[in-house]
Amino acid sequence: MLNALGDRAYRAGQFNEALKAYMASYPNFPNPYAYLMSGDAYWRAVLASHQGRSGDEAGRCRVANEHFPSDLRRSLEEHFQRGLALHPAPGRASEPNAELRRRAGTTAACLGELARQYDGQPATTCVALDRLSACLGAPLLR
């Protein structure tokens, strides 16, 4: 029920609402799908919150590096790594959500690399949101 609610919100581009629904399902039914989708929805919500800013903000840094690497690592641990650990072993294409697992694994690897790239950078460094977007790729649900 909560995953279906999350899916509807996700498909509508309401990533904050999707995140809430997926995370609410953890206590009752900890499942790989909810963990993986919550990680994806979280970062899509971050991107969505920084798009369409007014013209007076053009050229300004939208996300500084101050907490970015630690946020990435926390998301990887709390969402992606748990979801991937709960998911059946890779390699069986017939498994439900095998494609989701594959894509989430690719996203997690890219986000981990992004965290390493921003580690040690000054807190005022501007995060390249296009790189974050590239890690996420196309939405997991259509």
Side-chain angles (χ1 to χ4, degrees):
M1 175 84 159
L2 289 168
N3 285 343
L5 181 64
D7 288 351
R8 280 192 299 278
Y10 184 98
R11 285 185 176 108
Q14 300 167 338
F15 299 113
N16 281 325
E17 294 306 312
L19 175 63
K20 290 176 193 175
Y22 293 132
M23 289 181 69
S25 75
Y26 296 171
N28 300 320
F29 180 54
N31 63 87
Y33 183 84
Y35 281 105
L36 297 175
M37 290 303 297
S38 64
D40 185 82
Y42 175 79
W43 289 108
R44 289 186 193 281
V46 168
L47 286 174
S49 73
H50 294 291
Q51 291 177 345
R53 295 284 177 106
S54 61
D56 59 310
E57 292 189 35
R60 290 182 52 195
C61 183
R62 294 183 177 168
V63 175
N65 189 49
E66 184 175 10
H67 302 289
F68 186 67
S70 61
D71 285 350
L72 281 170
R73 280 191 294 282
R74 179 184 42 78
S75 176
L76 286 168
E77 181 181 315
E78 292 178 5
H79 304 294
F80 289 99
Q81 290 172 0
R82 287 182 186 173
L84 292 169
L86 287 170
H87 202 283
R92 297 193 325 218
S94 63
E95 281 293 326
N97 298 317
E99 180 63 12
L100 173 73
R101 184 193 201 294
R102 185 193 66 74
R103 289 188 57 207
T106 300
T107 297
C110 187
L111 293 176
E113 179 57 31
L114 200 55
R116 285 185 288 283
Q117 290 172 2
Y118 280 96
D119 269 336
Q121 300 253 352
T124 56
T125 299
C126 190
V127 172
L129 294 180
D130 58 330
R131 292 175 63 198
L132 175 59
S133 181
C135 281
L136 294 174
L140 294 176
L141 297 178
R142 304 222 185 246

